[in-house]
Amino acid sequence: MTQTLVGPRGSIGGARRRALAGALAAAALAVAAPAAAQKGPLGGLDAYTARALKDWQGAGLAIAVVKDDSVVFAKGYGVREVGKPAKVDDRTLFAIGSNTKLFTAVLAGTMVDEGKMSWDDRATKWLPGFQLYDPYVSREITIRDMLSHRSGLGRRGDLLWYGSALDRQQILHRIRFLEPNSSFRSQFGYQNIMVLGAGEAVAAAGGKSWDDLVRERIFQPLGMSASNTSVKALDLSGNVAAPHQWMDGKPVPVPYRDIDNIGPAGSINSNVRDMAQWLRMLLEDGSYGGRQIVKATTLQEIESPQTITAAMPDSLRPSTHFGAYGLGVGMVDYKGVKVLQHTGGIDGMLSLVAFVPEKQLGLVVLTNTAGHNALFQALMYRVLDAYLGGPTRDWSAILLAQTKTQEARAEAAQKKAEAARVPGTKPSLPLEKYAGTYADSLYGQARVSLEDGHLVLRYGPAFTGDLEHWNYDTFRAKWRGAGLGGGTALVGFALDAAGVAARMDVEGIAEFKRVPESARVSAAP
């Protein structure tokens, strides 16, 4: 399915702006002082953002706004790490998470421009041996399918990469064991591993790693000198924001998560100054500083609807009627214009990028607090309303109230689950009889051991949970540290006819089958 926008995007004054951009290439990284923006549509944004961050009790954030090929606002707020004095500024690096996906799509677009690949190339053309659960889908799935989330797999399989020792190729090999949850191309189903597959296909077409291609074809020509594709490239002693997870009513620093193995779907680290240059290119029909990074027609294809997404009625946003996903980017209508947007999240970090091509308007918000955080969305609507006109709202107050309501509901649900626990029961077997190695074809091995009188569950290098008896043959795992959000999960054991613990169902992961002693291997999942 190929859809393109009608007419040239940004044609009014576009040629004139691109010519000026070429003449002013030396000043491409110039950023307007935040104070100057306070006199125009963004009047009050500085004070609003600072106050809102305190209301949300977030650690820090940075925001940049681009209008008419100029960076009209760029500033940081709060601290890089709670309890330490270093402030966030417009050069502070954050993980952008899934906002990496559009970089992968644009990178693929550069290969399309050069005739090295096509959006409708079958994945197997570039990934020999690539296989999904359904042989038909294995044969037919294309780069377009992978980047538009219509594989039929849905938001599943993430623990193949999250906290995993598997590399990119091993993850793509294992995905063949994930059963689909819908038919192929029938509906939108967000799928990180398919975007990984698209990125590896681009690497094969380009003859270099995805990381090298992003650096050479995007970062370098856009002057994004601070950006990188790996947590390993971060100098944590420099101007880098520490991730924070919301725990016990406050943001708590957590370690950076190494997600190199899912790189094309989410591993880029950047700052708002660099991301503003990315937005300038997107808003200028793929051109930057007089250089065409990606053809305008190719960018139009990327930004055109490929898959329909849900757009539920919302009294707060009555002007929104549709939702769709292009190639690495989502889109909705808002106040009569198409807004392209994406969020990104990984341990302790949440980001948002939004842009309106017909208004030459874009913004990026990077934050270092995950959980109890919709401020990045509030700031998006604050900026959009400022330029699009019409009724304005205190989006921060509205979304903060909604968030507190949702948190109260979650707490009530947790209490209800606690109340449903059957008291007075005990395990069917002595604890040591539950110990052993359990395996799943998709997720690999999980191990249960008896230590200091209680069971301990270990899955992969990142997740260790202490098991306490819940009821019957079900235990509750309390994950250590920041594993799985520092939360809990129920772990149920099923006994076979001989009274042996034959299966282990780990909530949120999978059902694992016991591995006979003679068949155990040392490979980590």
Side-chain angles (χ1 to χ4, degrees):
M1 177 176 66
T2 302
Q3 299 183 37
T4 56
L5 299 176
V6 177
R9 178 170 56 78
S11 59
I12 300 175
R16 188 164 61 244
R17 281 193 300 272
R18 283 191 291 275
L20 180 61
L24 299 179
L29 296 178
V31 177
Q38 302 310 294
K39 300 177 181 179
L42 298 183
L45 177 63
D46 187 25
Y48 183 85
T49 304
R51 182 175 65 253
L53 182 61
K54 290 182 180 179
D55 292 342
W56 284 87
Q57 298 177 267
L61 69 84
I63 179 173
V65 180
V66 173
K67 183 72 172 78
D68 297 325
D69 202 30
S70 295
V71 183
V72 297
F73 190 94
K75 190 175 180 181
Y77 300 83
V79 294
R80 300 177 204 166
E81 183 173 345
V82 168
K84 296 184 179 180
K87 303 293 185 181
V88 172
D89 59 31
D90 64 338
R91 296 178 184 270
T92 302
L93 286 169
F94 295 77
I96 72 168
S98 286
N99 274 301
T100 300
K101 290 178 171 65
L102 184 54
F103 283 82
T104 296
V106 169
L107 186 64
T110 66
M111 298 294 170
V112 172
D113 288 347
E114 296 172 11
K116 292 183 177 179
M117 71 186 312
S118 164
W119 296 120
D120 297 310
D121 280 348
R122 291 174 174 172
T124 51
K125 176 178 179 179
W126 301 106
L127 304 173
F130 179 75
Q131 183 178 331
L132 297 177
Y133 192 86
D134 185 328
Y136 170 77
V137 182
S138 301
R139 184 178 70 247
E140 296 298 324
I141 193 167
T142 65
I143 305 303
R144 185 189 303 276
D145 295 321
M146 290 175 144
L147 290 171
S148 60
H149 301 299
R150 59 190 195 190
S151 66
L153 296 179
R155 184 63 186 267
R156 295 150 67 243
D158 280 342
L159 286 185
L160 272 180
W161 57 268
Y162 182 84
S164 164
L166 299 178
D167 63 26
R168 295 176 186 177
Q169 296 306 313
Q170 290 170 324
I171 292 167
L172 289 175
H173 177 80
R174 287 274 187 94
I175 196 64
R176 67 189 62 196
F177 299 115
L178 181 61
E179 296 185 35
N181 66 340
S182 72
S183 57
F184 183 42
R185 294 175 180 158
S186 65
Q187 64 184 44
F188 177 82
Y190 196 80
Q191 232 302 321
N192 284 301
I193 297 172
M194 292 301 95
V195 180
L196 165 62
E200 290 300 282
V202 171
K208 297 181 180 179
S209 71
W210 170 85
D211 307 76
D212 286 343
L213 290 170
V214 170
R215 182 170 55 254
E216 294 172 7
R217 290 173 173 252
I218 298 178
F219 290 167
Q220 290 177 356
L222 296 187
M224 298 176 67
S225 57
S227 301
N228 60 63
T229 61
S230 171
V231 65
K232 296 182 181 70
L234 288 176
D235 177 5
L236 297 180
S237 65
N239 193 353
V240 178
H244 295 74
Q245 195 72 34
W246 189 260
M247 298 180 187
D248 300 322
K250 61 183 179 181
V252 177
V254 297
Y256 262 90
R257 177 70 64 183
D258 183 345
I259 56 170
D260 286 7
N261 59 359
I262 198 71
S267 72
I268 288 177
N269 304 296
S270 190
N271 59 40
V272 296
R273 179 180 286 257
D274 276 11
M275 290 296 289
Q277 311 316 312
W278 169 244
L279 281 167
R280 290 178 61 202
M281 182 275 292
L282 293 172
L283 291 167
E284 283 296 303
D285 296 331
S287 176
Y288 182 88
R291 175 177 175 179
Q292 199 71 39
I293 306 300
V294 62
K295 290 181 180 178
T297 52
T298 302
L299 194 56
Q300 286 176 352
E301 185 78 1
I302 290 170
E303 297 173 359
S304 296
Q306 308 288 332
T307 311
I308 302 300
T309 60
M312 302 300 291
D314 187 341
S315 60
L316 283 175
R317 306 166 185 83
S319 68
T320 295
H321 305 92
F322 79 86
Y325 200 90
L327 302 173
V329 66
M331 60 201 76
V332 297
D333 63 322
Y334 182 69
K335 292 190 174 182
V337 298
K338 185 175 79 169
V339 179
L340 294 128
Q341 61 179 351
H342 214 292
T343 58
I346 193 62
D347 293 31
M349 297 274 182
L350 289 171
S351 69
L352 182 144
V353 172
F355 54 109
V356 186
E358 63 193 273
K359 297 294 184 180
Q360 287 290 295
L361 171 67
L363 70 140
V364 54
V365 184
L366 305 178
T367 78
N368 62 337
T369 305
H372 188 75
N373 183 4
L375 177 55
F376 61 118
Q377 294 175 316
L379 293 175
M380 176 188 74
Y381 285 112
R382 172 69 172 77
V383 172
L384 292 178
D385 287 349
Y387 283 100
L388 300 180
T392 59
R393 297 180 173 91
D394 185 350
W395 287 103
S396 175
I398 291 169
L399 295 182
L400 180 56
Q402 286 186 347
T403 297
K404 289 181 177 179
T405 298
Q406 292 165 358
E407 290 171 344
R409 289 174 179 168
E411 184 177 354
Q414 178 62 34
K415 290 180 178 179
K416 184 177 180 180
E418 293 277 355
R421 181 178 184 178
V422 181
T425 67
K426 62 180 182 180
S428 301
L429 305 173
L431 292 183
E432 64 269 17
K433 295 298 184 180
Y434 297 96
T437 300
Y438 298 79
D440 173 75
S441 57
L442 177 65
Y443 292 108
Q445 293 186 352
R447 297 178 180 86
V448 177
S449 58
L450 182 62
E451 302 175 19
D452 299 325
H454 73 282
L455 295 172
V456 178
L457 168 63
R458 289 183 171 82
Y459 171 71
F463 305 130
T464 299
D466 296 294
L467 303 187
E468 62 176 20
H469 184 247
W470 182 255
N471 53 212
Y472 301 111
D473 290 314
T474 297
F475 296 75
R476 181 170 63 177
K478 289 188 174 182
W479 302 111
R480 297 178 185 176
L484 294 178
T488 63
L490 293 180
V491 179
F493 291 89
L495 278 56
D496 62 16
V500 174
R503 296 189 305 280
M504 176 180 67
D505 189 352
V506 183
E507 182 182 20
I509 301 181
E511 181 179 85
F512 297 80
K513 295 181 180 180
R514 181 183 283 273
V515 178
E517 194 74 33
S518 60
R520 294 181 184 179
V521 295
S522 60

